[in-house]
Amino acid sequence: LHLGVTPSIIRKRYNLTAQDVGSGTTNNSQACAQFLEQYFHDSDLAEFMQLFGGDFAHQASVAHVVGQQGRGRAGIEASLDVEYLMSAGANISTWVYSNPGRHESQEPFLQWLLLLSNESALPPVHTASYGDDEDSLSSAYIQRVNTEFMKAAARGLTLLFASGDSGAGCWSTSGRHQFRPSFPASSPYVTTVGGTSFQNPFRITNEIVDYISGGGFSNVFPRAPYQEEAVAKFLSSSPKLPPSSYFNASGRAYPDVAALSDGYWVVSNRVPIPWVSGTSASTPVFGGILSLINEHRILNGRPPLGFLNPRLYQQHGAGLFDVTRGCHESCLNEEVQGQGFCSGPGWDPVTGWGTPNFPALLKTLIDP
Amino acid sequence: TYSPEPDQQLTLPPGWVSLGRVDPEEDLSLTFALRQQNLERLPKLVQAVSDPGSPRYGKYLSLEEVAELVRPSPLTLHTVQKWLLAAGARNCQSVITQDFLTCRMSVRQAELLLSGSEFHRYVGGPAETHVVRSPRPYRLPKALASHVDFVGGLHRFPPTSSLRQRPEPQAAETVG
């Protein structure tokens, strides 16, 4: 029995042993980016690790902060990002991009993209919980940001984005309801992370869909070539597809993967806070696990994983626990009654290929 | 003139309130996304270094190599810099890939440069953040249409977190 998700629950569920930590001998690193005017406190991280980090080697502080750490209260999202990236990707040097571009007229997310284009040596894995409704952004902006993601992928950076916390989303145009995809989650050049819950929230059991897990089909980007087979199979086999007028079946489908997103303990402003949920929690966990895999790859003289999706889909999600139960939320109307897509065998637009089973995932991603 | 972002949503996100126009002499920082080159080669390149079946799998480019590939043309760099200098923008900084330019200028200069724009100060979000944005679309001289993708710092507000603390699951129901 447990009273919510802590690092040891994450590590048990995803089969991370005490040996599965950074070796401390490589130049491996990982980063999380904050765009929400939120800051983390070193003292919270220290307290978190004191409370929850007893059974694995870990670093007690962030290695590098890019941007300014404001004064005042810590933010719960910033605290969670750092605490769980450093628990899943334990003992690996961790950077925090803290609200780059603080000037009132700057866009922190855009400034982060500029930083990526201005630093030669960057951590291989970057996690970010940022998203906007696709329809709210100009196509000039979306296309250019997508190009920035391509530049990062060409350099071997793994960019992980939370898939969002409104399920399939919902909006109505001229009286017709549709699902509402999110960006950057819908970019074909990032790896998007959905969310799950334990089937029994007080035990370490198999995982089911967390109803808030963002997912769906882009209205801007066509289906990515690497996911052609997986998405076609889902669309042809899913027993409970929403009405076709609700989504663009030929769009880039997401998420690609998932991890637990429900019931986290976070320490923020010195207070342990239970039952915190959102795909902002699953994203640093998946990021940390990819950093552990990079650690093994680097120790074997291999390059870091880079842009993961082509390989992930080619291997049909091998090394991941398939989540096959549950549907995420969507429009609360008579037609779909609040239900979006439902998970099923293989890839689905709710949890992607599923959640990490570290030893199996390591085995499939260590070579080449 | 032309509007680079005609389809950008301009409505005020919930939770943000306008504090009125910004003083014309106040300082702004705007980011110009310059048109890149050779973009049609990027997707293949990404596929080549990301597909385990490719001979170039894992052979990533350095930032300098990416810069070499996508760097804006000399004409683009010259046209935009000339336009900014003529408007009095000083203190512009670029990045290694030279495809972004961040300049500081006064509100007055910005509103002249980006016709139609009107800068207001807003307050909002959980941390009572102050931002300066324009609720009205901006336009650029037509001569820049093939040199600038968009201008950042006018329309997109900082996001708010969607993390939630949920009520504790009903113990009896699930444990049973």
Side-chain angles (χ1 to χ4, degrees):
Chain A
L1 284 182
H2 64 81
L3 286 175
V5 174
T6 61
S8 69
I9 300 299
I10 292 278
R11 295 181 69 89
K12 273 197 193 78
R13 167 56 186 154
Y14 296 143
N15 293 320
L16 287 161
T17 68
Q19 287 67 52
D20 294 317
V21 291
S23 63
T25 62
T26 69
N27 62 352
N28 192 15
S29 58
Q30 57 191 1
C32 58
Q34 268 301 316
F35 312 112
L36 301 172
E37 293 298 321
Q38 287 199 13
Y39 305 100
F40 74 93
H41 286 177
D42 284 330
S43 52
D44 286 340
L45 176 63
E47 183 177 332
F48 180 83
M49 287 301 185
Q50 211 169 7
L51 281 172
F52 301 121
D55 52 11
F56 57 92
H58 57 263
Q59 299 191 3
S61 64
V62 165
H64 184 39
V65 176
V66 179
Q68 296 105 347
Q69 272 274 83
R71 281 183 232 292
R73 294 175 58 77
I76 196 168
E77 182 151 337
S79 305
L80 183 149
D81 270 356
V82 171
E83 287 161 9
Y84 281 90
L85 182 60
M86 295 182 72
S87 299
N91 207 34
I92 290 174
S93 174
T94 300
W95 297 26
V96 173
Y97 285 86
S98 177
N99 292 298
R102 277 289 284 111
H103 189 283
E104 286 179 307
S105 68
Q106 285 182 328
E107 300 175 28
F109 176 65
L110 186 59
Q111 296 313 306
W112 175 68
L113 290 176
L114 267 72
L115 282 173
L116 294 189
S117 277
N118 212 25
E119 285 181 38
S120 300
L122 286 174
V125 172
H126 293 255
T127 73
S129 310
Y130 167 77
D132 261 316
D133 297 316
E134 254 189 7
D135 57 87
S136 73
L137 300 169
S138 69
S139 44
Y141 176 82
I142 282 189
Q143 293 298 337
R144 175 53 185 266
V145 170
N146 193 54
T147 299
E148 296 308 307
F149 295 153
M150 276 200 269
K151 285 162 59 179
R155 294 169 61 192
L157 302 181
T158 303
L159 300 186
L160 292 166
F161 276 85
S163 71
D165 295 338
S166 10
C170 183
W171 69 313
S172 72
T173 50
S174 45
R176 262 184 350 110
H177 277 103
Q178 283 182 346
F179 294 159
R180 198 170 201 185
S182 170
F183 177 84
S186 65
S187 162
Y189 291 99
V190 303
T191 298
T192 306
V193 185
T196 64
S197 306
F198 280 125
Q199 185 170 352
N200 178 335
F202 298 107
R203 286 185 181 281
I204 299 178
T205 65
N206 63 306
E207 291 159 74
I208 59 174
V209 162
D210 183 350
Y211 68 92
I212 53 95
S213 177
F217 294 78
S218 172
N219 289 323
V220 172
F221 299 105
R223 188 181 304 171
Y226 54 76
Q227 62 177 185
E228 190 60 47
E229 181 195 343
V231 174
K233 186 176 173 203
F234 170 79
L235 290 173
S236 62
S237 61
S238 175
K240 279 183 285 181
L241 274 182
S244 58
S245 62
Y246 276 66
F247 63 100
N248 168 26
S250 61
R252 180 318 206 214
Y254 69 91
D256 305 299
V257 292
L260 277 164
S261 58
D262 184 21
Y264 278 66
W265 280 86
V266 182
V267 173
S268 196
N269 298 299
R270 292 303 183 109
V271 175
I273 303 166
W275 307 115
V276 176
S277 301
T279 51
S280 318
S282 51
T283 306
V285 167
F286 205 96
I289 285 176
L290 290 186
S291 295
L292 289 177
I293 291 172
N294 274 342
E295 183 82 1
H296 285 265
R297 288 178 61 87
I298 292 168
L299 288 170
N300 285 307
R302 295 266 178 217
L305 282 165
F307 175 44
L308 187 63
N309 288 15
R311 179 163 188 167
L312 180 70
Y313 282 81
Q314 242 179 64
Q315 298 179 172
H316 298 113
L320 297 173
F321 291 119
D322 195 3
V323 180
T324 57
R325 283 189 54 185
C327 311
H328 60 185
E329 63 183 5
S330 77
C331 301
L332 280 176
N333 63 6
E334 200 176 333
E335 211 169 354
V336 294
Q337 295 173 20
Q339 182 172 293
F341 296 98
C342 298
S343 67
W347 177 89
D348 58 70
V350 187
T351 58
W353 288 102
T355 59
N357 175 3
F358 179 73
L361 192 59
L362 177 60
K363 203 165 157 211
T364 68
L365 293 180
I366 187 82
D367 269 325
Chain B
T1 63
Y2 78 102
S3 174
E5 302 187 73
D7 48 350
Q8 172 66 41
Q9 179 176 287
L10 298 178
T11 49
L12 197 61
W16 288 89
V17 173
S18 170
L19 299 176
R21 288 198 59 175
V22 179
D23 181 284
E25 297 317 314
E26 266 200 54
D27 223 14
L28 276 186
S29 176
L30 296 174
T31 299
F32 298 84
L34 307 188
R35 187 65 45 85
Q36 297 148 318
Q37 294 186 100
N38 302 314
L39 293 186
E40 68 290 348
R41 293 174 50 192
L42 262 182
K44 281 199 185 61
L45 203 60
V46 169
Q47 185 62 25
V49 299
S50 311
D51 181 346
S54 152
R56 295 180 60 189
Y57 179 64
K59 295 186 173 54
Y60 306 125
L61 278 69
S62 67
L63 178 58
E64 289 64 29
E65 286 165 330
V66 171
E68 195 64 30
L69 179 68
V70 302
R71 176 180 296 121
S73 68
L75 177 59
T76 293
L77 293 172
H78 175 71
T79 305
V80 173
Q81 276 154 7
K82 199 170 110 184
W83 171 62
L84 288 168
L85 272 179
R90 298 276 177 272
N91 197 2
C92 289
Q93 287 173 354
S94 186
V95 289
I96 291 178
T97 47
Q98 292 186 283
D99 47 9
F100 284 108
L101 206 55
T102 300
C103 300
R104 297 184 77 94
M105 62 189 74
S106 70
V107 167
R108 183 193 308 278
Q109 284 170 325
E111 289 179 349
L112 280 173
L113 199 66
L114 310 172
S115 61
S117 63
E118 195 181 273
F119 289 91
H120 292 237
R121 179 171 275 104
Y122 297 88
V123 63
E128 296 290 307
T129 307
H130 282 70
V131 295
V132 171
R133 294 290 186 271
S134 167
R136 297 176 46 165
Y138 65 99
R139 300 179 69 83
L140 294 177
K142 233 203 204 12
L144 289 182
S146 57
H147 300 301
V148 177
D149 285 338
F150 68 89
V151 179
L154 279 98
H155 296 326
R156 285 163 288 277
F157 280 79
T160 48
S161 172
S162 52
L163 260 188
R164 290 286 175 274
Q165 196 180 12
R166 285 183 197 166
E168 188 176 319
Q170 298 315 299
E173 181 193 330
T174 34
V175 171

